[in-house]
Every structure is written in C-alpha cells, then in structure tokens.
Amino acid sequence: MKIWIDLTNSPHVLVMRPVIERLRERGHEVEVTARDFAQTLGLCERFGIAHTAIGRHRGGSLLAKARGLGDRSVALARWARRRRFDLALGHGSNDISVASAVLRIPSSTTFDYEWAAVQHNVNCRLARAVVVPDAIPPERLYRYGARGKVHAYPGLKEEYYLADFEPDPRVLRSLGLDDTLPIVVVRTPPAVSLYHRFENDLFAQVLDRLAGSQVVVLPRTPEQRTELSRRGGLIVPDHAIDAQSLIAYADLVVSAGGTMNREAVALGTPVFTVFEGRLGAVDERLIAEGRLRRLEWPEDVVVERRPDRRGGEAAPDRVRRDPAVLTDLLCAPVGGGR
C-alpha cells in the first residue's frame, strides 16, 4: 500500500514515528507531509523522518484557523492528487481529513482529548476510523459523527510511542544542568488552542515560585520563547531538544498541556497539570488513579530530588506497549494494513 501521513503539531511527530516504522517494516510505502508550527519540522529532522513541508499555522482565532484549514487542505490535495495513496492518517489533522475526502482516499484520525469540538466535528465526520484511548467513552464522540467508527486502544498513546525509548543523559549536559540537583521541567499553556481560552495566572505564579531553581521551560511559540527569555532565571532552549529524556531525568514536571503530562506519567516522573480547560477522560482517569495531580496552589510545588532518581538515573517505573496495536487500528479502513 501507499500511505500518506500528515503532521501538524510537535506531538504528532512522536506519535506517528513508530507507526511509520511499523508500516515500512510491513513493506508499505509511506510519505509524510508536515506543517511549519511549533517544533514539528525540527522534530522530523531530529528523528530522521523525511517529509514535505506544506503550510504553516495561521493563528489562534476561529477565523484564522478556518482560513488555515482551507488553504492548507487545498495545498495538500494538490500535492497528493497524482500520488495515488491508498490510505491517509493524521493525529487530529483536519487538513488531511479534508484533503483525503476531496480525493476520496480512505482516512483514519486519532486523538486523546475529546472536547476539541471544532476539530473533531471535521475529522470524525470525514474519517472512516476514529482511534482513541479506551478511557474515552465512545458516546462522547457520537455528536461529532463518530458513531460506528470508534476503535479503542488500552492505556496511553505515550506508552506506545515511548515503548522503545531509553533516556539519553546528554540532554542534561547540553542544557548545562547539574544532575545532582533537582530538575524541574515546565511546559507553557497552549495559548493558540481554541480549547484553552484562559488567562493562566497560576502558571505565572508557579514560574515565580520556581525562580532560582534548575528550571527548563519549553515554550510552544517564538513569542512565548521571547517573553520567557526576557523574564530571566529560566533555561529556555532555542531549538528542538530531546524533551523525553529531559522528562525522564526530571524530578518534577509542571505542564499546561496534555502530551507532556502523559509522557511524564508513562516515564514515571511526578507531574502536576495546570490545564484550565475541561478535563478529558484520559486525565480524569489518571487523576483518579493518582498518576497525575491537578495543581491548585503554587505552594504545592516542592522542588526536591525524587527518591527513585539516584546517580543521574531515570525512574525504573515504566509502562511499555506495542506500537503495532496502534498501527493496526489506524489501518482499519483497509483491513489492518498487514
């Protein structure tokens, strides 16, 4: 088969990397398109994923997103028209859902946050398979047009794409970190996302509390990077880094976004969420299980070495799952892709 995968945001590179590898191991031809947003292109380069860069993020307003969807979908359709793909895959990429529908290419979509209504009203209606964690009740997706299309997998998507991951201590040296002292990793709020429209005062208070510690802040946009650099007292990388290794060696993660929270859970690192939007079923389950904590007061953040991180080693508490499971579910429209 000839399979097309579209990447529109940084986490999508991580999720789709092992899927691309499994598909190629099975003898399928895979081509990748990627949007210039956040660190998507940089991560493609770091993981050696050959790709065609098409389009960029147009802004956070509903109108800007609509224009971006229209323009990029047209550009993708033009690019794909003569390539005769058998299947199109995306992680919440509305662009590939629209373009593949126009070209009558069967498509699958996957995501793990069910309340992004604008996004899901597009991709769930157009895709033939909707692949989500089993924590999400299928009926929550019916209003998006997903009835009869839902394919559920156990656990977290991070447990699949991190299955073959081993942390690399070089990331600590590259950032000038002393691994004998506590390390905190902070992820900024997704300010351009439609489902996160709040002034996150708690996040700013947490940064104030962490001042003077070894704190690495991972911004989402160039504007956030500039603002954080001006703030001072923080380590703000100016390029794509091995964030998963950094999380594995950290003593604490404080994140306003879902993917990094769940990466910390999968890697056994204590994590607070400061997400102020509506909690999804995955985070609800993790909080109920005590694997994720919701931060309510900045005073709850205590900077100290975690007991299981000794001698610069990452936590041994890991959950690993076979990425072939995700690959099979994504290929459901064409019989599983075996």
Side-chain angles (χ1 to χ4, degrees), residues 35 56-74 94-95 98 118-119 122 192 194 197:
R35 181 177 64 163
R56 58 182 176 81
H57 196 277
R58 294 300 185 89
S61 71
L62 181 59
L63 179 59
K65 284 181 175 287
R67 287 175 175 170
L69 171 61
D71 291 347
R72 189 165 184 270
S73 297
V74 169
N94 285 346
D95 306 345
V98 172
V118 175
Q119 180 188 80
V122 176
V192 297
L194 287 173
R197 292 294 195 196

Side-chain angles (χ1 to χ4, degrees), residues 141-162:
L141 307 179
Y142 291 167
R143 64 177 179 145
Y144 305 133
R147 187 184 295 270
K149 302 178 181 180
V150 178
H151 299 261
Y153 59 85
L156 309 173
K157 71 179 189 299
E158 291 76 12
E159 294 167 345
Y160 293 88
Y161 72 72
L162 292 172

Side-chain angles (χ1 to χ4, degrees), residues 159-186:
E159 294 167 345
Y160 293 88
Y161 72 72
L162 292 172
D164 62 352
F165 170 78
E166 297 298 338
D168 185 344
R170 289 179 296 181
V171 69
L172 303 180
R173 296 193 292 272
S174 72
L175 295 171
L177 296 170
D178 183 346
D179 65 10
T180 67
L181 300 175
I183 297 170
V184 182
V185 179
V186 178

Side-chain angles (χ1 to χ4, degrees), residues 4 75-85 99 103 105:
W4 172 21
L76 288 176
R78 287 174 178 166
W79 175 85
R81 181 171 289 117
R82 290 183 171 83
R83 285 177 162 79
R84 300 183 180 278
F85 289 109
L103 298 175
I105 303 169

Side-chain angles (χ1 to χ4, degrees), residues 251-269:
D251 296 280
L252 179 67
V253 170
V254 181
S255 174
T259 297
M260 186 163 288
N261 289 340
R262 292 185 288 274
E263 286 180 339
V265 170
L267 293 170
T269 301

